[in-house]
Amino acid sequence: MLGLFLGFAFYSFIENEIKYSKFGNSKKIINNYLSFFHIFITIILSIIYFLSEYNYTTKQIILYNSCSFFFYDALTFIKDRNFSKTNLILIYHHIVVSLYMLNVEINSNWYSLLVLTELSNIPGNLIYHYLQLRKKGENHAIKIEILKCLQLYIYSFLRCVVVGYYMYVELIFVYSEENDGDIYYYLSLPLYFMGCGWSYTLYKRSLKNKK
């Protein structure tokens, strides 16, 4: 619990720093920066985790950093009563994934799944950033088109193929005699299919833009 409390305080501090910086105080822009910051921290901690030869303490820091961000982000949507379809999906994602990571056994693949899904979000975060800059009159059309192409391939490959493989491996682990199934795993399954659905949407958009 202390880890979650410290994480909450950390992301609250980061949000306030973004809010009073030159980046603006739009809630969507702040959320995008917070999301990208979480991805950045996850990558840095993962590098440290790898270089430290998979140190247990570092893995726990990764766990509490991500769970703190997910809970913080979900509570922000709830507090603001911002219950759009997208935000409801995000709230579901954040709560279920956090509960899953906090309750699984030590041999779970939650770490690999976390890193892969966060990496797949990078193009989307950058696209949103440049779209906001375009509203201010800046021309980033080429960058946006390149990122949309990268998003289609990177997101689809990671979310459908690689994450699909790890979800299958996780299913074998969860449904072992020792674990006898895990409700949080089954609650997280819809998130995988949502990722595949979003990949299909990106594909359709790509075909439409080529016409």
Side-chain angles (χ1 to χ4, degrees), residues 96-129:
V96 170
V97 169
S98 296
L99 291 175
Y100 181 68
M101 292 193 300
L102 289 168
N103 287 280
V104 291
E105 300 290 336
I106 192 170
N107 293 323
S108 166
N109 289 297
W110 69 261
Y111 165 75
S112 299
L113 288 165
L114 171 68
V115 173
L116 288 168
T117 52
E118 290 306 311
L119 287 174
S120 72
N121 289 332
I122 293 176
N125 283 92
L126 292 175
I127 290 170
Y128 186 83
H129 172 71

Short mmCIF file of all heavy atoms in Angstrom, two decimals, residues 96-129:
data_model
loop_
_atom_site.label_atom_id
_atom_site.label_comp_id
_atom_site.label_asym_id
_atom_site.label_seq_id
_atom_site.Cartn_x
_atom_site.Cartn_y
_atom_site.Cartn_z
N VAL A 96 -8.85 -3.35 -13.84
CA VAL A 96 -8.65 -4.80 -14.01
C VAL A 96 -7.17 -5.15 -14.11
O VAL A 96 -6.70 -6.10 -13.46
CB VAL A 96 -9.41 -5.30 -15.26
CG1 VAL A 96 -9.00 -6.74 -15.59
CG2 VAL A 96 -10.91 -5.23 -15.02
N VAL A 97 -6.42 -4.41 -14.92
CA VAL A 97 -4.99 -4.70 -15.09
C VAL A 97 -4.24 -4.52 -13.77
O VAL A 97 -3.37 -5.33 -13.42
CB VAL A 97 -4.38 -3.80 -16.19
CG1 VAL A 97 -2.85 -3.91 -16.19
CG2 VAL A 97 -4.92 -4.20 -17.55
N SER A 98 -4.57 -3.46 -13.04
CA SER A 98 -3.90 -3.22 -11.75
C SER A 98 -4.19 -4.35 -10.76
O SER A 98 -3.27 -4.85 -10.11
CB SER A 98 -4.35 -1.88 -11.16
OG SER A 98 -3.96 -0.81 -11.98
N LEU A 99 -5.45 -4.73 -10.66
CA LEU A 99 -5.81 -5.83 -9.75
C LEU A 99 -5.14 -7.13 -10.16
O LEU A 99 -4.72 -7.92 -9.31
CB LEU A 99 -7.33 -6.01 -9.71
CG LEU A 99 -8.12 -4.88 -9.04
CD1 LEU A 99 -9.62 -5.12 -9.18
CD2 LEU A 99 -7.74 -4.78 -7.56
N TYR A 100 -5.04 -7.34 -11.47
CA TYR A 100 -4.39 -8.56 -11.95
C TYR A 100 -2.91 -8.57 -11.56
O TYR A 100 -2.41 -9.56 -11.01
CB TYR A 100 -4.52 -8.67 -13.47
CG TYR A 100 -3.89 -9.93 -14.03
CD1 TYR A 100 -4.45 -11.17 -13.75
CD2 TYR A 100 -2.75 -9.89 -14.81
CE1 TYR A 100 -3.89 -12.33 -14.23
CE2 TYR A 100 -2.18 -11.05 -15.31
CZ TYR A 100 -2.76 -12.27 -15.01
OH TYR A 100 -2.19 -13.42 -15.48
N MET A 101 -2.21 -7.48 -11.82
CA MET A 101 -0.78 -7.43 -11.52
C MET A 101 -0.51 -7.54 -10.03
O MET A 101 0.50 -8.12 -9.61
CB MET A 101 -0.17 -6.14 -12.09
CG MET A 101 -0.14 -6.08 -13.60
SD MET A 101 0.92 -4.75 -14.25
CE MET A 101 0.15 -3.30 -13.55
N LEU A 102 -1.40 -6.98 -9.22
CA LEU A 102 -1.21 -7.01 -7.77
C LEU A 102 -1.53 -8.36 -7.14
O LEU A 102 -1.12 -8.63 -6.01
CB LEU A 102 -2.08 -5.93 -7.10
CG LEU A 102 -1.65 -4.48 -7.32
CD1 LEU A 102 -2.74 -3.53 -6.87
CD2 LEU A 102 -0.33 -4.18 -6.60
N ASN A 103 -2.25 -9.22 -7.88
CA ASN A 103 -2.71 -10.47 -7.29
C ASN A 103 -2.14 -11.74 -7.92
O ASN A 103 -2.37 -12.82 -7.40
CB ASN A 103 -4.24 -10.54 -7.36
CG ASN A 103 -4.90 -9.60 -6.37
OD1 ASN A 103 -5.01 -9.90 -5.17
ND2 ASN A 103 -5.34 -8.46 -6.85
N VAL A 104 -1.39 -11.62 -9.01
CA VAL A 104 -0.88 -12.83 -9.66
C VAL A 104 0.35 -13.37 -8.93
O VAL A 104 0.98 -12.68 -8.11
CB VAL A 104 -0.50 -12.57 -11.14
CG1 VAL A 104 -1.73 -12.32 -11.95
CG2 VAL A 104 0.50 -11.43 -11.25
N GLU A 105 0.69 -14.62 -9.27
CA GLU A 105 1.86 -15.26 -8.69
C GLU A 105 3.14 -14.68 -9.27
O GLU A 105 3.12 -14.02 -10.31
CB GLU A 105 1.81 -16.78 -8.96
CG GLU A 105 0.59 -17.47 -8.39
CD GLU A 105 0.61 -17.54 -6.87
OE1 GLU A 105 1.72 -17.48 -6.31
OE2 GLU A 105 -0.47 -17.63 -6.26
N ILE A 106 4.26 -14.96 -8.64
CA ILE A 106 5.54 -14.37 -9.01
C ILE A 106 5.99 -14.80 -10.41
O ILE A 106 6.72 -14.08 -11.09
CB ILE A 106 6.62 -14.73 -7.96
CG1 ILE A 106 7.87 -13.88 -8.19
CG2 ILE A 106 6.94 -16.23 -8.01
CD1 ILE A 106 8.89 -13.99 -7.08
N ASN A 107 5.57 -15.98 -10.88
CA ASN A 107 5.99 -16.48 -12.19
C ASN A 107 5.11 -16.01 -13.34
O ASN A 107 5.27 -16.45 -14.47
CB ASN A 107 6.03 -18.01 -12.18
CG ASN A 107 7.10 -18.55 -11.25
OD1 ASN A 107 8.18 -17.99 -11.16
ND2 ASN A 107 6.80 -19.65 -10.56
N SER A 108 4.19 -15.12 -13.06
CA SER A 108 3.29 -14.59 -14.09
C SER A 108 4.08 -13.78 -15.13
O SER A 108 5.16 -13.26 -14.86
CB SER A 108 2.23 -13.71 -13.44
OG SER A 108 1.56 -12.93 -14.40
N ASN A 109 3.48 -13.64 -16.32
CA ASN A 109 4.07 -12.85 -17.40
C ASN A 109 3.57 -11.41 -17.42
O ASN A 109 3.66 -10.73 -18.44
CB ASN A 109 3.76 -13.49 -18.76
CG ASN A 109 4.51 -14.79 -18.97
OD1 ASN A 109 5.73 -14.81 -19.02
ND2 ASN A 109 3.78 -15.88 -19.08
N TRP A 110 3.02 -10.92 -16.30
CA TRP A 110 2.44 -9.58 -16.29
C TRP A 110 3.45 -8.52 -16.70
O TRP A 110 3.10 -7.53 -17.37
CB TRP A 110 1.87 -9.24 -14.91
CG TRP A 110 2.89 -9.04 -13.81
CD1 TRP A 110 3.26 -9.96 -12.88
CD2 TRP A 110 3.68 -7.87 -13.54
NE1 TRP A 110 4.22 -9.44 -12.05
CE2 TRP A 110 4.50 -8.15 -12.44
CE3 TRP A 110 3.77 -6.61 -14.13
CZ2 TRP A 110 5.40 -7.23 -11.90
CZ3 TRP A 110 4.67 -5.68 -13.61
CH2 TRP A 110 5.47 -5.99 -12.50
N TYR A 111 4.72 -8.72 -16.35
CA TYR A 111 5.75 -7.72 -16.67
C TYR A 111 5.92 -7.60 -18.19
O TYR A 111 5.95 -6.49 -18.73
CB TYR A 111 7.08 -8.10 -16.01
CG TYR A 111 8.26 -7.35 -16.56
CD1 TYR A 111 8.47 -6.02 -16.21
CD2 TYR A 111 9.16 -7.96 -17.44
CE1 TYR A 111 9.53 -5.31 -16.74
CE2 TYR A 111 10.22 -7.25 -17.95
CZ TYR A 111 10.41 -5.94 -17.60
OH TYR A 111 11.47 -5.23 -18.13
N SER A 112 6.04 -8.73 -18.88
CA SER A 112 6.20 -8.72 -20.34
C SER A 112 4.97 -8.09 -21.01
O SER A 112 5.10 -7.28 -21.94
CB SER A 112 6.40 -10.14 -20.87
OG SER A 112 7.57 -10.71 -20.33
N LEU A 113 3.78 -8.44 -20.53
CA LEU A 113 2.56 -7.89 -21.09
C LEU A 113 2.48 -6.39 -20.89
O LEU A 113 2.07 -5.64 -21.78
CB LEU A 113 1.34 -8.58 -20.46
CG LEU A 113 1.10 -10.02 -20.89
CD1 LEU A 113 0.11 -10.72 -19.94
CD2 LEU A 113 0.56 -10.07 -22.32
N LEU A 114 2.89 -5.92 -19.72
CA LEU A 114 2.87 -4.49 -19.42
C LEU A 114 3.79 -3.72 -20.36
O LEU A 114 3.38 -2.72 -20.98
CB LEU A 114 3.30 -4.25 -17.97
CG LEU A 114 3.53 -2.78 -17.58
CD1 LEU A 114 2.22 -2.01 -17.58
CD2 LEU A 114 4.21 -2.69 -16.21
N VAL A 115 5.03 -4.17 -20.49
CA VAL A 115 6.01 -3.47 -21.33
C VAL A 115 5.57 -3.45 -22.79
O VAL A 115 5.64 -2.42 -23.47
CB VAL A 115 7.40 -4.11 -21.18
CG1 VAL A 115 8.38 -3.48 -22.17
CG2 VAL A 115 7.91 -3.96 -19.76
N LEU A 116 5.08 -4.58 -23.28
CA LEU A 116 4.66 -4.67 -24.68
C LEU A 116 3.49 -3.73 -24.98
O LEU A 116 3.48 -3.03 -26.00
CB LEU A 116 4.27 -6.11 -25.02
CG LEU A 116 5.42 -7.11 -25.11
CD1 LEU A 116 4.88 -8.54 -25.14
CD2 LEU A 116 6.28 -6.84 -26.34
N THR A 117 2.50 -3.71 -24.10
CA THR A 117 1.34 -2.85 -24.33
C THR A 117 1.71 -1.37 -24.23
O THR A 117 1.19 -0.55 -24.99
CB THR A 117 0.20 -3.17 -23.35
OG1 THR A 117 0.70 -3.14 -22.01
CG2 THR A 117 -0.38 -4.54 -23.63
N GLU A 118 2.61 -1.03 -23.32
CA GLU A 118 3.02 0.37 -23.20
C GLU A 118 3.83 0.81 -24.42
O GLU A 118 3.66 1.93 -24.91
CB GLU A 118 3.84 0.58 -21.92
CG GLU A 118 3.02 0.46 -20.64
CD GLU A 118 1.81 1.38 -20.63
OE1 GLU A 118 1.96 2.58 -20.94
OE2 GLU A 118 0.71 0.90 -20.34
N LEU A 119 4.67 -0.06 -24.94
CA LEU A 119 5.42 0.26 -26.16
C LEU A 119 4.48 0.48 -27.34
O LEU A 119 4.71 1.37 -28.17
CB LEU A 119 6.40 -0.87 -26.49
CG LEU A 119 7.64 -0.99 -25.59
CD1 LEU A 119 8.44 -2.24 -25.97
CD2 LEU A 119 8.54 0.24 -25.71
N SER A 120 3.41 -0.29 -27.39
CA SER A 120 2.46 -0.16 -28.51
C SER A 120 1.70 1.16 -28.46
O SER A 120 1.13 1.59 -29.48
CB SER A 120 1.46 -1.33 -28.49
OG SER A 120 0.54 -1.21 -27.42
N ASN A 121 1.69 1.82 -27.30
CA ASN A 121 0.95 3.09 -27.15
C ASN A 121 1.75 4.30 -27.60
O ASN A 121 1.19 5.39 -27.76
CB ASN A 121 0.53 3.28 -25.69
CG ASN A 121 -0.57 2.33 -25.27
OD1 ASN A 121 -1.37 1.90 -26.09
ND2 ASN A 121 -0.60 1.99 -23.99
N ILE A 122 3.06 4.15 -27.79
CA ILE A 122 3.92 5.31 -28.09
C ILE A 122 3.49 6.06 -29.35
O ILE A 122 3.35 7.29 -29.31
CB ILE A 122 5.40 4.88 -28.18
CG1 ILE A 122 5.90 4.44 -26.81
CG2 ILE A 122 6.27 6.03 -28.72
CD1 ILE A 122 7.33 3.91 -26.81
N PRO A 123 3.28 5.38 -30.50
CA PRO A 123 2.86 6.13 -31.69
C PRO A 123 1.58 6.93 -31.47
O PRO A 123 1.46 8.08 -31.93
CB PRO A 123 2.66 5.03 -32.75
CG PRO A 123 3.55 3.92 -32.31
CD PRO A 123 3.46 3.94 -30.81
N GLY A 124 0.60 6.34 -30.78
CA GLY A 124 -0.66 7.03 -30.52
C GLY A 124 -0.48 8.29 -29.69
O GLY A 124 -1.10 9.32 -29.96
N ASN A 125 0.38 8.22 -28.67
CA ASN A 125 0.67 9.40 -27.85
C ASN A 125 1.32 10.51 -28.68
O ASN A 125 0.96 11.69 -28.54
CB ASN A 125 1.62 9.03 -26.70
CG ASN A 125 0.91 8.29 -25.58
OD1 ASN A 125 0.87 7.07 -25.57
ND2 ASN A 125 0.34 9.02 -24.63
N LEU A 126 2.25 10.13 -29.54
CA LEU A 126 2.93 11.13 -30.38
C LEU A 126 1.99 11.73 -31.40
O LEU A 126 2.04 12.94 -31.67
CB LEU A 126 4.13 10.48 -31.08
CG LEU A 126 5.28 10.06 -30.16
CD1 LEU A 126 6.35 9.31 -30.95
CD2 LEU A 126 5.90 11.27 -29.47
N ILE A 127 1.10 10.92 -31.98
CA ILE A 127 0.12 11.43 -32.94
C ILE A 127 -0.77 12.47 -32.28
O ILE A 127 -1.00 13.55 -32.84
CB ILE A 127 -0.74 10.27 -33.51
CG1 ILE A 127 0.10 9.39 -34.43
CG2 ILE A 127 -1.96 10.83 -34.26
CD1 ILE A 127 -0.60 8.10 -34.84
N TYR A 128 -1.26 12.17 -31.09
CA TYR A 128 -2.12 13.12 -30.38
C TYR A 128 -1.37 14.42 -30.09
O TYR A 128 -1.93 15.51 -30.23
CB TYR A 128 -2.62 12.51 -29.07
CG TYR A 128 -3.64 13.38 -28.37
CD1 TYR A 128 -4.98 13.34 -28.73
CD2 TYR A 128 -3.25 14.27 -27.36
CE1 TYR A 128 -5.92 14.15 -28.11
CE2 TYR A 128 -4.18 15.09 -26.74
CZ TYR A 128 -5.51 15.03 -27.12
OH TYR A 128 -6.42 15.85 -26.51
N HIS A 129 -0.10 14.30 -29.70
CA HIS A 129 0.72 15.47 -29.41
C HIS A 129 0.84 16.37 -30.63
O HIS A 129 0.62 17.60 -30.54
CB HIS A 129 2.11 15.02 -28.96
CG HIS A 129 3.10 16.13 -28.82
ND1 HIS A 129 3.03 17.06 -27.80
CD2 HIS A 129 4.18 16.48 -29.58
CE1 HIS A 129 4.02 17.93 -27.91
NE2 HIS A 129 4.73 17.60 -28.98
#
